[in-house]
Amino acid sequence: MPVEEPWDAVVVGAGPGGLTAAIYLARFRRRFLVLDAGESRAAWIPRSHNHPGFPNGIPGPELLARLRRHARRYGAHIRKARVDSLAPGTEGFDIRAGRRRFVARTVLLATGVIDNEPKLPGLDLAIARGLIRICPICDGYEATGQAIGVIGNSEHGAREALFLRAYSDDVALIHVGEPGTLPDADRRALQAAAVAVIETPIQAVRIERDRIAAFAFEGRTHRFDTVYSALGSTPRYLLAQQAGAAIDEQGRLVVDDHQATSVDGLYAAGDLVRGLNQMTVAEAEAAIAATDIHNRLRTMGV
């Protein structure tokens, strides 16, 4: 298997976090590589209204394209590749991507998370069209005054429904989990906040004019202007696990103030680390990690 000269750093993932790291590392004049599997969640965002600097909002794909152009302006190397394995080696880290092998002195993981999609009748089309929202922090403001439905299966769904009450008086929790998975304390909080709880199984979803028109529940129909999925997400931690990095009970990587993991030379930034799942958080953490990588290499005389 061919291997190139060791890179100063390899960034795994080319979402907002990975590409921000690329901008910083390129401006630090580092010899580095970004490996991109093409699965950034940002690419699915129809329009983000809370990213600073874009008062009229910006589509996720456009933001990613801008970040790529910015990084490449300074000479960043971005390659299409899915990383299969990551392991500490004699010269830093051994990285395998298909038939390619890379060696890097440091690695920054910006692999993000996978959303847990609701497995309900008729929702595949709604998800494909972007009719199901997943981030009330990102776009709850745009749902102000609307009829909002929240699909949940645990206390997380209850918390999200309560959060959205700040934007609308018409919020309903569609609880698709077992009755016991919604604690009594959450039921009381929902009742006190006038949030309806619907526990009847969803039989169908009707889509009209590129929007969700109604949910059918055993003969009853509920209409919503906006629907959120609050089923959580699964961190992409497999590579970190292979490398021996510490992972918390939620599957998030444990890092220090400089985004360094428990494995020497391995860093992580973005959704893989924290539960807020915000692009601006990923960008900030990537900037911190890239700067620490640069300073680390300087102390090594590289």
Side-chain angles (χ1 to χ4, degrees), residues 12-149:
V12 183
L19 292 173
T20 296
I23 293 168
Y24 275 71
L25 289 170
R27 289 175 57 83
F28 288 141
R29 303 182 69 187
R30 283 296 168 188
R31 183 176 179 272
F32 73 98
L33 182 64
V34 178
L35 299 179
D36 175 26
E39 297 177 347
S40 172
R41 293 166 77 237
W44 293 91
I45 299 174
R47 182 172 292 270
S48 173
H49 293 274
N50 71 336
H51 194 289
F54 299 97
N56 296 319
I58 182 171
E62 182 180 340
L63 178 64
L64 292 175
R66 287 180 179 230
L67 290 169
R68 283 176 177 271
R69 289 197 301 271
H70 195 164
R72 283 177 168 146
R73 174 174 182 164
Y74 299 109
H77 299 282
I78 304 172
R79 296 187 187 178
K80 183 77 171 179
R82 180 180 299 278
V83 176
D84 302 311
S85 66
L86 172 67
T90 57
E91 296 182 272
F93 293 90
D94 187 277
I95 303 160
R96 306 296 175 103
R99 296 184 178 181
R100 301 297 301 275
R101 177 187 173 217
F102 305 96
V103 174
R105 296 182 176 92
T106 61
V107 170
L108 169 59
L109 294 176
T111 50
V113 298
I114 301 172
D115 292 305
N116 300 330
E117 297 179 345
K119 299 183 183 303
L120 299 169
L123 279 185
D124 288 347
L125 180 59
I127 294 169
R129 292 186 182 181
L131 303 179
I132 298 290
R133 299 186 181 189
I134 60 172
C135 180
I137 293 175
C138 304
D139 51 28
Y141 183 89
E142 279 64 48
T144 298
Q146 296 182 355
I148 303 172

Side-chain angles (χ1 to χ4, degrees), residues 9-300:
V10 164
V11 178
V12 183
L19 292 173
T20 296
I23 293 168
Y24 275 71
L25 289 170
R27 289 175 57 83
F28 288 141
R29 303 182 69 187
R30 283 296 168 188
R31 183 176 179 272
F32 73 98
L33 182 64
V34 178
L35 299 179
D36 175 26
E39 297 177 347
S40 172
R41 293 166 77 237
W44 293 91
I45 299 174
R47 182 172 292 270
S48 173
H49 293 274
N50 71 336
H51 194 289
F54 299 97
N56 296 319
I58 182 171
E62 182 180 340
L63 178 64
L64 292 175
R66 287 180 179 230
L67 290 169
R68 283 176 177 271
R69 289 197 301 271
H70 195 164
R72 283 177 168 146
R73 174 174 182 164
Y74 299 109
H77 299 282
I78 304 172
R79 296 187 187 178
K80 183 77 171 179
R82 180 180 299 278
V83 176
D84 302 311
S85 66
L86 172 67
T90 57
E91 296 182 272
F93 293 90
D94 187 277
I95 303 160
R96 306 296 175 103
R99 296 184 178 181
R100 301 297 301 275
R101 177 187 173 217
F102 305 96
V103 174
R105 296 182 176 92
T106 61
V107 170
L108 169 59
L109 294 176
T111 50
V113 298
I114 301 172
D115 292 305
N116 300 330
E117 297 179 345
K119 299 183 183 303
L120 299 169
L123 279 185
D124 288 347
L125 180 59
I127 294 169
R129 292 186 182 181
L131 303 179
I132 298 290
R133 299 186 181 189
I134 60 172
C135 180
I137 293 175
C138 304
D139 51 28
Y141 183 89
E142 279 64 48
T144 298
Q146 296 182 355
I148 303 172
V150 179
I151 302 172
N153 59 7
S154 66
E155 64 272 12
H156 175 66
R159 291 197 301 268
E160 192 157 302
L162 291 169
F163 176 87
L164 284 160
R165 274 292 279 113
Y167 299 101
S168 174
D169 295 331
D170 188 356
V171 179
L173 172 64
I174 305 168
H175 184 64
V176 296
E178 295 296 325
T181 58
L182 185 60
D184 290 339
D186 290 317
R187 290 180 182 276
R188 290 192 294 270
L190 291 165
Q191 183 177 17
V195 174
V197 178
I198 302 170
E199 297 184 83
T200 305
I202 298 174
Q203 293 182 327
V205 177
R206 189 165 74 249
I207 298 174
E208 297 175 359
R209 297 179 182 178
D210 286 332
R211 57 167 286 184
I212 291 177
F215 284 79
F217 302 89
E218 294 186 351
R220 296 191 61 188
T221 298
H222 292 262
R223 295 180 178 274
F224 302 103
D225 299 310
T226 301
V227 178
Y228 283 88
S229 173
L231 300 178
S233 57
T234 302
R236 299 177 185 270
Y237 59 79
L238 181 59
L239 294 176
Q241 189 177 57
Q242 291 175 354
I247 300 171
D248 68 16
E249 59 275 10
Q250 280 80 42
R252 309 275 177 167
L253 267 66
V254 177
V255 298
D256 65 13
D257 291 342
H258 299 283
Q259 302 302 129
T261 72
S262 60
V263 176
D264 194 36
L266 180 63
Y267 294 76
D271 299 350
L272 183 63
V273 175
R274 303 189 190 277
L276 192 55
N277 293 2
Q278 293 290 291
M279 293 187 291
T280 48
V281 173
E283 291 163 352
E285 292 178 345
I288 292 170
T291 301
D292 200 66
I293 286 172
H294 174 60
N295 289 332
R296 171 191 175 90
L297 294 170
R298 285 196 309 116
T299 62
M300 294 169 57

